[in-house]
């Protein structure tokens, strides 16, 4: 329910103001600030499906279906509560295809005196919003998005004066603020971070939990038909769709995670396994980023499971770090450094994105399986994203803008505020260390240790170079050679460069020639 009810404003002529409240597709929370004080009899809630939001990058078909279906279900819920909802469908013949066009039409249609919106998650949409008072020409109120655990102003206050921004220290402040997993002013268990206990490889005989899938209802089926007709050329398979699209389904998904997956999440959150797309991961990030779930309730559900003895401390802390730590941190960093953040290219990477990021047609088993899972599910977990597709793009020197567009397009939970810092800063080190203290560069040995992908691959993860060598290996060493002038002075790269120094000139030459040949072949049109 709305957190407060404000007095109804009046116009200069003394009549009650008619307010148009515009809800965006990732603001599907009943607590959204733009609904505060909403008058069921007088105010109009506008929701609009616009083609521009589906095509500014060519989003995965399941991502589009998820957003549109969740919007339609949310609108129906508001109508059931007695609100006046003006809902514009994608196939409405008068639909302009843009937020601005639909807002202007709605103001004229209803004779609205003012517009109320909640601040958006993306810079490009904020720029649109800031033009809305001039056109359609009525007062505009942009309200703070209160669904996050740290406001943008709070993050900037924390960041002010710091030489470097590191998630770990922000996370500790958020732990103190919330009191979560704290015993007085000390972290529970005596440690802030149990990351070292979250890196176990999967035992061969460990059974994976069966995952909850939500059978599409009539509304979702109609949306899927629409997406197939309008966006059939976009990446991804549509038929496997089974994401939560309602508030209740999102709550069911959260309960399923805490009951069935959370106990194993901590140990194996960095593991990868052939044919196991989801392992012990929560799968709630699409619901969180749409607004069907909120960060506080997700964290509290996990903390409750721990308090009841159902989840070990390392698993609970590992999950809390992802939501209270990473999610809040990347949002703060995004807004603090936009609109220029994505323009940097510290490593001067300029190679085009290989075609196998779309086709999965590559003999590298880890990449083929990760891209194939992404195509089927609009999902891959964080280690697949960071240490397989992201690591390869880093080592191969792929243009950051092309990699970032791919991540934004293919994942159901991808919105620029969360995707850009994670890709640009964390995976590609394109910001030169603003977000991460070192590049997350790794050879095939890491993938071999954390997965079984290498057993089904034609490349040998133990060979540094030569025939049959894993491309991740010679590309790793080539990455160090190519970026020596930029990275050798990084204190966290010392061990890597000491290992590089052990290679003689002939070994370096062989690695360089093999890497150059591989990268040249990768850039050919058929690849």
């Amino acid at each position: 329910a709305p957190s407060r009810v404000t007095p109804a404003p009046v116009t200069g002529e003394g009549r009650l103001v008619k307010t148009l409240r515009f809800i965006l597709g990732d603001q599907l929370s009943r607590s959204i600030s733009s609904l505060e004080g909403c008058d069921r009899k007088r105010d109009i809630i506008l929701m609009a499906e616009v083609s521009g939001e589906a095509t500014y990058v060519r989003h995965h078909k399941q991502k589009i279906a998820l957003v549109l279906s969740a919007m339609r279900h949310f609108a129906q819920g508001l109508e059931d509560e007695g609100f006046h909802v003006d809902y514009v469908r994608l196939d409405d013949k008068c639909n302009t295809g843009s937020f601005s066009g639909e807002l202007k039409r709605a103001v004229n249609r209803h004779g609205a005196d003012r517009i109320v919106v909640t601040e958006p998650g993306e810079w490009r949409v904020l720029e649109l919003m800031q033009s809305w008072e001039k056109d359609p020409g009525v007062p505009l109120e942009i309200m703070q998005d209160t669904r996050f655990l740290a406001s943008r102003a709070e993050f900037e206050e924390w960041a002010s004066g710091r030489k470097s921004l590191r998630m770990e220290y922000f996370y500790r402040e958020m732990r103190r603020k919330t009191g979560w997993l704290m015993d007085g002013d000390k972290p529970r268990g005596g440690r802030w971070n149990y990351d070292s206990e979250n890196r176990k490889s999967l035992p061969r005989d460990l059974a994976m939990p069966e995952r909850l899938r939500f059978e599409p209802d009539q509304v979702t089926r109609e949306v899927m038909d629409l997406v197939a007709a309008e966006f059939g050329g976009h990446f991804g398979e549509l038929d496997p769709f089974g994401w939560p699209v309602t508030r209740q389904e999102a709550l069911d998904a959260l309960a399923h995670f805490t009951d069935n997956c959370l106990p194993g999440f901590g140990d194996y959150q960095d593991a990868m396994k052939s044919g196991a797309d989801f392992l012990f991961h929560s799968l709630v990030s699409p619901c969180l980023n749409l607004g069907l779930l909120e960060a506080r309730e997700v964290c509290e559900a996990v903390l409750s499971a721990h308090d009841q003895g159902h989840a070990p401390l390392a698993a609970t802390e590992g999950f809390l770090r992802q939501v209270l730590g990473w999610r809040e941190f990347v949002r703060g960093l995004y807004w603090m450094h936009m609109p220029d953040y994505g323009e940097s290219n510290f490593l001067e990477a300029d190679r085009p994105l290989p075609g196998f990021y779309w086709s999965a047609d590559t003999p590298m088993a880890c990449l083929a399986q990760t891209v194939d899972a992404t195509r089927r599910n609009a999902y891959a977990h964080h280690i697949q994203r960071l240490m397989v597709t992201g690591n390869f793009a880093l080592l191969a020197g792929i243009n950051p803008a092309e990699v970032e567009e791919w991540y934004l397009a293919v994942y159901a939970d991808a919105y620029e505020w969360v995707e850009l810092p994670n890709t640009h800063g964390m995976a590609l080190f394109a910001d030169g260390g603003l977000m991460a203290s070192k590049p997350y560069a790794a050879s095939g040995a890491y993938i071999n240790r954390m997965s079984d992908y290498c057993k089904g691959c034609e490349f040998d993860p133990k060979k540094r170079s030569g025939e049959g060598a894993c491309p991740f290996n010679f590309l790793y060493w080539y990455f160090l050679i190519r970026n020596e002038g930029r990275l050798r002075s990084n204190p966290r790269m010392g061990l890597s460069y000491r290992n590089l120094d052990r290679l003689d000139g002939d070994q370096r030459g062989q690695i360089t020639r093999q890497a150059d040949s591989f990268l040249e072949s990768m850039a050919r049109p058929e690849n």
Side-chain angles (χ1 to χ4, degrees):
S3 60
R4 70 173 188 265
V5 177
T6 56
V10 295
T11 67
E13 295 77 27
R15 64 179 177 84
L16 293 177
V17 166
K18 181 180 286 188
T19 300
L20 184 67
R21 300 176 182 272
F22 194 6
I23 305 294
L24 305 185
D26 59 350
Q27 297 178 344
L28 307 183
S29 307
R30 188 60 187 82
S31 63
I32 196 74
S33 56
S34 52
L35 289 179
E36 292 181 359
C38 186
D39 188 301
R40 287 170 170 81
K41 295 181 180 179
R42 186 179 64 256
D43 294 350
I44 300 100
I45 298 171
L46 174 66
M47 297 181 69
E49 303 171 0
V50 295
S51 60
E53 292 303 298
T55 57
Y56 72 93
V57 297
R58 291 170 62 84
H59 292 289
H60 194 296
K61 291 193 282 289
Q62 285 191 42
K63 166 74 172 295
I64 302 172
L66 170 62
V67 175
L68 298 189
S69 179
M71 287 176 65
R72 293 186 183 189
H73 283 94
F74 185 74
Q76 184 60 59
L78 292 175
E79 289 181 347
D80 291 345
E81 288 187 58
F83 289 97
H84 179 181
V85 180
D86 181 357
Y87 194 94
V88 182
R89 296 196 173 206
L90 188 77
D91 51 1
D92 185 319
K93 64 181 180 180
C94 296
N95 191 327
T96 62
S98 72
F99 283 152
S100 298
E102 288 314 298
L103 183 65
K104 184 174 183 179
R105 284 207 309 136
V107 167
N108 294 334
R109 190 160 57 244
H110 298 288
D113 301 299
R114 71 168 183 152
I115 302 163
V116 174
V117 294
T118 294
E119 62 184 357
E122 300 190 351
W123 178 269
R124 65 181 181 86
V125 182
L126 180 61
E127 287 187 307
L128 282 177
M129 279 189 178
Q130 291 170 340
S131 72
W132 289 347
E133 191 157 26
K134 182 178 180 181
D135 186 15
V138 297
L140 170 73
E141 182 177 1
I142 301 177
M143 303 184 72
Q144 180 180 333
D145 190 343
T146 57
R147 297 173 298 171
F148 289 86
L149 296 162
S151 69
R152 288 163 49 184
E154 184 179 0
F155 181 87
E156 290 187 13
E157 182 180 356
W158 170 82
S160 178
R162 293 178 181 267
K163 293 182 179 180
S164 61
L165 303 181
R166 294 292 174 256
M167 188 280 294
E168 177 66 23
Y169 300 108
F170 171 75
Y171 170 56
R172 292 181 186 184
E173 286 301 307
M174 294 299 290
R175 289 271 296 276
R176 294 186 182 101
K177 171 188 172 181
T178 60
W180 290 342
L181 293 185
M182 298 293 292
D183 293 325
D185 61 351
K186 303 293 184 181
R188 186 170 302 175
R191 292 161 53 190
W192 289 104
N193 189 313
Y194 288 82
D195 188 46
S196 61
E197 297 180 25
N198 300 155
R199 303 173 183 172
K200 297 178 183 176
S201 55
L202 284 166
R204 292 182 181 180
D205 57 351
L206 183 66
M208 297 295 105
E210 186 173 344
R211 303 317 299 260
L212 190 61
R213 180 182 182 275
F214 297 90
E215 188 65 29
D217 62 9
Q218 182 177 349
V219 172
T220 303
R221 287 291 178 192
E222 289 176 358
V223 166
M224 291 171 69
D225 290 343
L226 177 65
V227 170
E230 297 293 330
F231 309 106
H234 283 216
F235 174 79
E237 298 177 14
L238 187 57
D239 289 343
F241 185 95
W243 292 105
V245 295
T246 68
R247 165 73 172 163
Q248 186 57 56
E249 287 181 347
L251 290 170
D252 291 344
L254 176 59
H256 178 81
F257 167 65
T258 57
D259 291 346
N260 298 281
C261 307
L262 178 59
F265 171 76
D267 286 345
Y268 307 117
Q269 65 172 282
D270 285 7
M272 299 172 284
K273 181 178 175 61
S274 299
D277 296 336
F278 307 123
L279 286 85
F280 295 91
H281 291 272
S282 72
L283 310 186
V284 299
S285 55
C287 298
L288 263 173
N289 295 349
L290 273 175
L292 297 179
L293 294 173
E294 295 191 22
R296 179 172 296 276
E297 68 183 336
V298 169
C299 292
E300 288 177 345
V302 169
L303 291 166
S304 177
H306 171 66
D307 290 341
Q308 295 169 23
H310 185 59
L313 178 58
T316 306
E317 188 280 319
F319 183 87
L320 195 69
R321 191 178 344 120
Q322 289 192 4
V323 179
L324 180 64
W326 273 118
R327 187 172 186 267
E328 298 286 328
F329 179 78
V330 298
R331 176 182 182 254
L333 188 143
Y334 173 85
W335 282 107
M336 188 173 178
H337 292 282
M338 286 299 282
D340 300 324
Y341 179 68
E343 300 301 316
S344 55
N345 189 355
F346 176 73
L347 299 178
E348 299 182 11
D350 59 2
R351 294 185 180 276
L353 187 76
F356 58 71
Y357 272 73
W358 302 104
S359 68
D361 185 14
T362 172
M364 290 176 282
C366 56
L367 277 162
Q369 292 200 39
T370 299
V371 174
D372 180 62
T374 299
R375 181 170 56 195
R376 288 184 284 103
N377 303 317
Y379 173 85
H381 69 70
H382 68 280
I383 293 299
Q384 291 173 311
R385 299 188 201 193
L386 177 63
M387 301 308 298
V388 178
T389 52
N391 184 29
F392 183 86
L394 171 70
L395 300 181
I398 299 174
N399 186 305
E402 293 193 34
V403 183
E404 289 148 19
E405 181 174 343
W406 182 81
Y407 275 97
L408 188 57
V410 302
Y411 291 118
D413 56 3
Y415 297 85
E416 190 184 64
W417 67 266
V418 65
E419 174 276 325
L420 183 59
N422 272 310
T423 308
H424 194 78
M426 184 78 168
L428 302 179
F429 205 68
D431 64 4
L434 181 64
M435 182 176 181
S437 58
K438 69 167 187 173
Y440 276 80
S443 68
Y446 175 88
I447 296 171
N448 190 35
R449 182 171 68 252
M450 298 307 301
S451 77
D452 62 356
Y453 292 151
C454 299
K455 294 177 182 177
C457 187
E458 68 180 56
F459 298 112
D460 187 347
K462 297 180 181 179
K463 289 193 68 174
R464 183 169 54 212
S465 60
E467 185 177 356
C470 174
F472 278 86
N473 288 346
F474 54 76
L475 288 178
Y476 171 78
W477 294 107
Y478 185 58
F479 171 82
L480 295 177
I481 294 168
R482 189 175 72 246
N483 292 291
E484 191 166 3
R486 303 180 185 95
L487 297 177
R488 182 177 277 276
S489 61
N490 184 315
R492 294 200 64 198
M493 296 295 291
L495 178 61
S496 297
Y497 276 101
R498 286 195 294 275
N499 289 332
L500 177 65
D501 290 341
R502 295 189 178 99
L503 303 184
D504 60 30
D506 288 342
Q507 290 171 316
R508 284 190 176 213
Q510 182 180 6
I511 287 168
T512 299
R513 289 189 296 274
Q514 187 167 7
D516 281 338
S517 176
F518 176 85
L519 292 171
E520 182 181 350
S521 68
M522 186 182 72
R524 293 170 188 158
E526 64 270 18
N527 294 319

